[in-house]
Amino acid sequence: QSRLDHWAGAIAMKMLALLLRLAIAAGGIMTLNTYPVYQTHLSWQLAHSFCCLLAAFGFMGRSASLLLVLLLGSNHSPFGISLTSQVIFGVAAALMLIGSGSMSVWAPEENILYRSNINEPGKCCQTP
């Protein structure tokens, strides 16, 4: 790998994740401010706001983004198809793929995704 790959990877992991988390926070605030327009149930609005809050702070960011994508991607989404919901959906999907970044509060998913499963020599196919 070249130096450019390492530089681009560092920028993507630090700055892009932070910008995506800020975009989710802004989208969550915009959706919360326009609550009377959507006429949704309070439970849907609270679930959406809670997922946006968790993803914005980076508290289990990948899991919160997954829940947000599932909430917005359901067939009967109470928020309808608006530009705000489409942007939040895309940003949450991107955040779910790249991770919540270096300034996240808690990211236990990173340990699960990036742990190595190196077997000891001679024990690759044996059962314990």
Side-chain angles (χ1 to χ4, degrees):
Q1 290 185 347
S2 67
R3 222 180 300 172
L4 181 62
D5 291 335
H6 293 290
W7 179 78
I11 293 295
M13 289 301 293
K14 292 179 183 175
M15 299 306 291
L16 184 60
L18 183 62
L19 291 175
L20 291 176
R21 288 181 14 215
L22 289 174
I24 285 180
I29 291 170
M30 286 176 58
T31 305
L32 192 60
N33 284 341
T34 58
Y35 172 71
V37 173
Y38 294 115
Q39 297 295 322
T40 60
H41 293 284
L42 184 62
S43 60
W44 279 94
Q45 184 64 39
L46 289 176
H48 180 267
S49 298
F50 186 67
C51 288
C52 284
L53 183 70
L54 288 178
F57 280 120
F59 186 83
M60 293 182 61
R62 288 182 194 258
S63 300
S65 296
L66 174 65
L67 290 175
L68 192 57
V69 164
L70 291 175
L71 179 70
L72 291 172
S74 63
N75 287 336
H76 302 290
S77 178
F79 301 108
I81 300 174
S82 66
L83 182 63
T84 305
S85 65
Q86 288 178 352
V87 168
I88 293 174
F89 182 85
V91 169
L95 189 66
M96 183 177 57
L97 292 174
I98 69 166
S100 57
S102 61
M103 294 173 49
S104 60
V105 175
W106 187 44
E109 304 99 350
E110 303 298 322
N111 294 334
I112 295 169
L113 290 174
Y114 295 121
R115 70 178 171 202
S116 62
N117 191 10
I118 300 172
N119 296 321
E120 293 180 20
K123 293 187 177 184
C124 67
C125 299
Q126 296 175 0
T127 57

